[in-house]
């Protein structure tokens, strides 16, 4: 099922055959997000019944599928954990965190939750 379809016209040099284009796309094939990664993207087979080919040539057009994966955390979860970290910081140091320290705490919370 296709959600989005975009047509592009490329006027530069383009591989002549489907096999040549497939070889070039293999270097940019899709790999899922790593445990610490936020985003991942790459090409995957446009037609699952055909096999592992990353492109198909149909009626003079090349069909490719780009897959994007991103991990999203609800802001409420991040803010709740950030509040707990800020309270622990205040208890430990006796002062509220500065803007820079708050940003660092937020980065730590985000990395931990992902």
């Amino acid at each position: 099922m296709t959600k989005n379809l975009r047509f592009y016209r490329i006027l530069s040099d383009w591989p002549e055959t489907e096999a040549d284009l497939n070889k070039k796309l293999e270097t940019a094939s899709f790999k899922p997000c790593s445990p610490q990664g936020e985003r991942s993207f790459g090409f995957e087979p446009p037609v699952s019944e055909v096999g592992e080919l990353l492109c198909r040539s149909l009626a003079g057009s090349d069909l490719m599928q780009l897959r994007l994966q991103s991990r999203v955390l609800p802001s409420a979860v991040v803010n709740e954990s950030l509040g707990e970290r800020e309270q622990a910081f205040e208890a430990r140091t006796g002062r509220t965190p500065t803007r820079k320290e708050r940003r660092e705490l937020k980065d730590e919370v985000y990395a931990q939750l992902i």
Side-chain angles (χ1 to χ4, degrees), residues 1 45-53 56:
M1 181 74 161
V47 182
S48 59
E49 293 86 27
V50 176
E52 295 298 315
L53 292 176
R56 294 294 301 169

Side-chain angles (χ1 to χ4, degrees), residues 91-107:
R92 190 174 63 246
T93 62
R95 63 178 178 81
T96 60
T98 63
R99 179 180 289 172
K100 182 181 176 185
E101 292 168 335
R102 189 172 195 276
R103 192 174 318 124
E104 289 172 357
L105 288 173
K106 188 172 186 176
D107 289 342

Side-chain angles (χ1 to χ4, degrees), residues 74-84 102 106 109:
S75 59
V77 172
V78 174
N79 290 335
E80 181 180 326
S81 295
L82 180 60
E84 293 170 4
R102 189 172 195 276
K106 188 172 186 176
V109 166

Side-chain angles (χ1 to χ4, degrees), residues 53-65:
L53 292 176
L54 298 176
C55 67
R56 294 294 301 169
S57 292
L58 302 168
S61 298
D62 293 320
L63 179 63
M64 298 173 283
Q65 182 169 319

